Amino acid sequence: MSAEKELARAEWLSHADTRMVMDTLGVGARFVGGAVRNELMGEPVSDVDIATADTPERVTELLTAKGIKVVPTGIDHGTVMAVTPSRHFEITTLRVDVKTDGRRADVAFTGDWVEDAKRRDFTINALYADADGTVHDPLGTGREDIAARRVRFIGDANARIAEDYLRVLRFFRFHAWYGKGEPDADSLKACADAREGLRQLSGERVRDELLKIAAADNAGAAFRQMAAAGILPIVLPEASRLDRFEKLVGIEANQLFTSDALLRLASTLDLDAAGVAALAARLRLSNRDRDRVEAMLTDKTKIVAYLSIKEVRKALYLIGVQTFKDRVMLGWAEDRPGHNTFQWRAMLAMADSWVKPDFMLTGQMIKQAGVPEGPEIGRVQREVEEWWVDADFTDDEFSIIERLKAVVQATVY
């Protein structure tokens, strides 16, 4: 197919807000990167990025005059964000790298589309499209690699990686999401050779890439390739359970579950609470994510495929829905492939529909039963609650009160 207006039928391209932004920027602007790549590959398009020969100041002037909100997200690197009712557009001035240190780059603006393309990471990310959908391949290699689903660096792979060592992880991420067959040999060798440079990167950047790799359908192969290249021991040395990880990825794919990147990443680990804390500090996990990982890896509740309905309800009450579901998925990944699928799925379904019952016994009721103020109230309440849970959350108030009386008579007087 001719490149002329090739993307003209793309929904995102013809959207009213997209048209408004592109019309405002004029002929010096083109779509770039992921939107063009994914549309050509038949993949979903989320972010729509734009490149322009205009300076950030001129872009801001044009958009503001049109009443479009502009946020200077990376003005030193030529990037602003256009905010419209339907989506945000990242708009970046064409640029060349002046100086790089493996983590960041100093840039200069240019009007040369070829020079802008040369500074990008992979050939499949160096395609542009006009507002009418006409595709441009300034380097002459992107279209061929997109057709072959081949991920490879632009020009000298070693030079591209030296500009930003995060590109090592990005290579595995893009191959996991878009590649076909074995990784490009030259790119893979360059990544392996540059692996020590990954130690320069911040925990946040490494974390984000690891989670993006883990979310891919081909994440299992990607992690194995990273391990073989000596890269995984640097960025995730705790990953000792790739076998469980690969099984979990397969389960989510086969059962048509939405991929859960944090669960997948945690499945590679076999850590105690201290180990999780150290990992979380290094990768700058949020407190919420750290607590979730710690819970799923350290909880000792018995979770097996043959749990009774009563046992499932008890586990849900004691550890909560999220930890229960995480433990179920990890248990499923430990099970023999193809075994107990119905049972594991049934437990997940129960968790999704479960409503936590209210324990109706209050501190006031316990005091009325003769328990004095102080820690005894909490102890008695816990004992009665344990009985109530074992009784499958009976809603018989008379039985609960009778149990309260029995506990008080046996342990308080």
Side-chain angles (χ1 to χ4, degrees):
M1 180 185 292
S2 170
E4 184 178 359
K5 300 183 180 180
E6 185 174 359
L7 304 187
R9 295 183 180 180
E11 183 279 330
W12 56 268
L13 186 147
S14 59
H15 192 277
D17 285 342
T18 308
R19 306 302 316 160
M20 176 178 63
V21 170
M22 290 299 283
D23 289 346
T24 301
L25 295 176
V27 295
R30 292 173 176 171
F31 302 107
V32 65
V36 180
R37 176 198 67 228
N38 283 26
E39 192 67 39
L40 292 173
M41 285 185 163
E43 299 283 351
V45 171
S46 53
D47 298 331
V48 177
D49 297 335
I50 299 170
T52 177
D54 286 327
T55 64
E57 293 76 16
R58 178 58 178 163
V59 169
T60 300
E61 178 184 340
L62 290 170
L63 294 171
T64 302
K66 190 69 174 180
I68 300 171
K69 180 180 178 181
V70 180
V71 180
T73 52
I75 199 73
D76 291 342
H77 288 80
T79 301
V80 300
M81 186 79 73
V83 180
T84 71
S86 67
R87 67 175 14 141
H88 299 174
F89 299 85
E90 189 174 88
I91 304 167
T92 303
T93 301
L94 303 183
R95 55 194 181 173
V96 294
D97 290 338
V98 176
K99 180 182 178 182
T100 61
D101 63 4
R103 292 179 296 174
R104 62 182 70 85
D106 295 332
V107 302
F109 301 142
T110 180
D112 191 325
W113 293 91
V114 174
E115 290 302 313
D116 183 77
K118 285 180 179 178
R119 70 169 298 279
R120 296 179 181 273
D121 47 11
F122 308 114
T123 59
I124 62 173
N125 290 338
L127 287 97
Y128 306 78
D130 291 332
D132 66 1
T134 300
V135 175
H136 300 271
D137 184 3
L139 303 181
T141 53
R143 296 303 305 270
E144 175 187 343
D145 287 339
I146 277 182
R149 286 190 169 262
R150 179 172 53 237
V151 179
R152 61 189 179 113
F153 287 98
I154 292 169
D156 182 353
N158 296 292
R160 294 290 78 72
I161 292 172
E163 292 164 355
D164 185 352
Y165 287 109
L166 192 71
R167 287 174 172 173
V168 170
L169 298 182
R170 284 173 60 83
F171 172 75
F172 290 97
R173 192 237 295 186
F174 277 88
H175 183 73
W177 279 96
Y178 306 114
K180 181 180 179 181
E182 293 297 315
D184 176 69
D186 291 340
S187 298
L188 184 61
K189 182 179 184 303
C191 287
D193 291 344
R195 60 185 178 271
E196 288 298 323
L198 291 166
R199 300 187 191 278
Q200 301 180 21
L201 301 177
S202 69
E204 292 92 337
R205 298 184 80 199
V206 171
R207 173 203 65 211
D208 289 349
E209 286 300 320
L210 285 174
L211 289 172
K212 289 174 183 177
I213 298 169
D217 287 346
N218 292 322
F223 269 55
R224 286 290 182 188
Q225 291 154 2
M226 290 165 61
I231 291 165
L232 196 62
I234 291 176
V235 294
L236 194 65
E238 301 90 347
S240 62
R241 292 301 312 273
L242 292 187
D243 56 330
R244 183 170 64 183
F245 171 72
E246 289 183 280
K247 290 178 182 177
L248 179 63
V249 171
I251 289 168
E252 288 190 328
N254 293 334
Q255 300 299 320
L256 303 181
F257 294 158
T258 300
S259 65
D260 186 330
L262 186 66
L263 171 64
R264 288 184 176 190
L265 194 67
S267 74
T268 70
L269 310 172
D270 185 11
L271 300 174
D272 59 14
V276 173
L279 172 72
R282 190 180 77 248
L283 296 183
R284 301 294 191 269
L285 294 182
S286 68
N287 290 343
R288 181 178 179 179
D289 286 349
R290 177 203 62 206
D291 292 346
R292 181 185 171 193
V293 173
E294 179 182 337
M296 74 173 81
L297 293 182
T298 63
D299 175 66
K300 302 302 182 184
T301 305
K302 180 181 179 181
I303 304 294
V304 291
Y306 51 83
L307 287 182
S308 67
I309 294 176
K310 178 181 176 180
E311 289 172 321
V312 169
R313 286 196 286 257
K314 179 177 180 179
L316 284 165
Y317 184 83
L318 294 177
I319 65 177
V321 172
Q322 184 65 73
T323 301
F324 177 83
K325 292 177 68 173
D326 289 340
R327 289 287 317 283
V328 166
M329 291 301 295
L330 294 179
W332 195 347
E334 298 276 10
D335 205 350
R336 289 178 295 169
H339 283 67
N340 301 312
T341 297
F342 174 81
Q343 290 89 333
W344 292 116
R345 284 194 65 111
M347 286 196 288
L348 292 175
M350 285 185 64
D352 287 333
S353 61
W354 183 72
V355 177
K356 186 176 181 178
D358 291 325
F359 183 44
M360 52 79 68
L361 191 63
T362 66
Q364 183 62 34
M365 295 167 66
I366 296 173
K367 284 194 289 184
Q368 290 174 351
V371 181
E373 287 277 7
E376 277 292 284
I377 289 181
R379 184 192 62 78
V380 169
Q381 187 168 36
R382 286 191 297 273
E383 286 206 22
V384 178
E385 186 176 18
E386 289 176 6
W387 167 86
W388 176 69
V389 171
D390 287 335
D392 203 16
F393 313 101
T394 178
D395 58 1
D396 182 353
E397 183 176 345
F398 176 78
S399 296
I400 295 173
I401 296 300
E402 288 299 304
R403 184 64 183 184
L404 170 61
K405 292 177 180 177
V407 171
V408 170
Q409 290 173 357
T411 64
V412 176
Y413 295 111

